[in-house]
Amino acid sequence: MDIDPPKRWKLFKAELVFRMPQESRKKIKRLLRLGDEYMNSGEEELAEHCYHLSRRLAEEARAVHLLKKIEQRTR
């Protein structure tokens, strides 16, 4: 599976945010912003990946209001 270098870097950036030692709610918001940036630039796969990671964190943190925001973005 060959991924072009800029896309690989962006994927790594999302994974790095996911694994950073930080409060879950801050990581979720940061992943949402990153996903919005990717969506606006036309990279829907990367945006969906960011939204998926943020959903996982929100479910673990039981952040219902953030889950609703994620659902609005993924419709």
Side-chain angles (χ1 to χ4, degrees), residues 52-68:
H52 172 73
L53 292 176
S54 63
R55 177 179 285 121
R56 279 182 44 194
L57 284 172
E59 287 172 352
E60 289 174 11
R62 295 186 179 129
V64 177
H65 65 287
L66 290 173
L67 277 171
K68 289 179 183 178

Side-chain angles (χ1 to χ4, degrees), residues 21-64:
Q22 195 176 32
E23 184 188 358
S24 295
R25 295 180 199 294
K26 287 185 180 183
K27 286 195 287 188
I28 294 166
K29 290 177 183 178
R30 199 160 172 199
L31 281 167
L32 286 176
R33 268 189 266 124
L34 193 60
D36 291 343
E37 288 177 23
Y38 293 153
M39 189 64 81
N40 290 335
S41 66
E43 297 173 302
E44 294 177 15
E45 289 181 18
L46 288 170
E48 290 296 325
H49 183 67
C50 289
Y51 295 149
H52 172 73
L53 292 176
S54 63
R55 177 179 285 121
R56 279 182 44 194
L57 284 172
E59 287 172 352
E60 289 174 11
R62 295 186 179 129
V64 177

Side-chain angles (χ1 to χ4, degrees), residues 3-14 38 43 46:
I3 300 175
D4 58 347
K7 193 171 184 178
R8 184 177 295 156
W9 165 247
K10 290 177 180 179
L11 188 64
F12 176 72
K13 189 176 176 183
Y38 293 153
E43 297 173 302
L46 288 170

